[in-house]
Amino acid sequence: MTSANKRTVERYIDGFNKTDHDQILSCLTHDIEWTVFGWFQLTGKDAYDKEIENEGFTGSPRITILRMVEEDDVVMAELAIEATRVDGEPVRMVAGEVFVMRDGLIAERRAYLIQLRENAFK
């Protein structure tokens, strides 16, 4: 059976796949902290909302949850991500994401993101 925390993460990812700001933001605490290591860190829903769509990309990403595990109020997810740059170039990435939950909402998101250049290993 899927836990409430995992359902929140699934709803959150589904929101990104549709670029549905309201759906994404409904999964977050007001004081959300988002870190993408090596890229940026931000705090709060307003700042988060501004980063949902990146000017370097077009359309919605395609994010697939490969697996999730949960312990206490932490959900970890392995993700496969495909996106399209504004110049039409496809981008493939994999990510390890840590979702720290509070009262069924995402209070902190930490992303370890790797762009794939040739295949799943290089």
Side-chain angles (χ1 to χ4, degrees), residues 50-67:
K50 292 174 185 168
E51 288 297 325
I52 289 172
E53 293 179 70
N54 184 303
E55 64 186 39
F57 292 87
T58 185
S60 297
R62 292 159 306 283
I63 304 171
T64 303
I65 298 171
L66 302 174
R67 68 182 47 91

Side-chain angles (χ1 to χ4, degrees), residues 48 76 97:
Y48 204 106
M76 295 187 72
E97 300 254 358

Side-chain angles (χ1 to χ4, degrees), residues 1-27:
M1 180 161 73
T2 302
S3 72
N5 285 340
K6 285 182 179 179
R7 285 192 299 276
T8 297
V9 172
E10 289 169 341
R11 188 170 70 250
Y12 168 86
I13 296 297
D14 178 63
F16 258 99
N17 284 332
K18 299 184 294 191
T19 313
D20 184 331
H21 288 245
D22 290 335
Q23 182 173 333
I24 294 165
L25 295 173
S26 75
C27 298

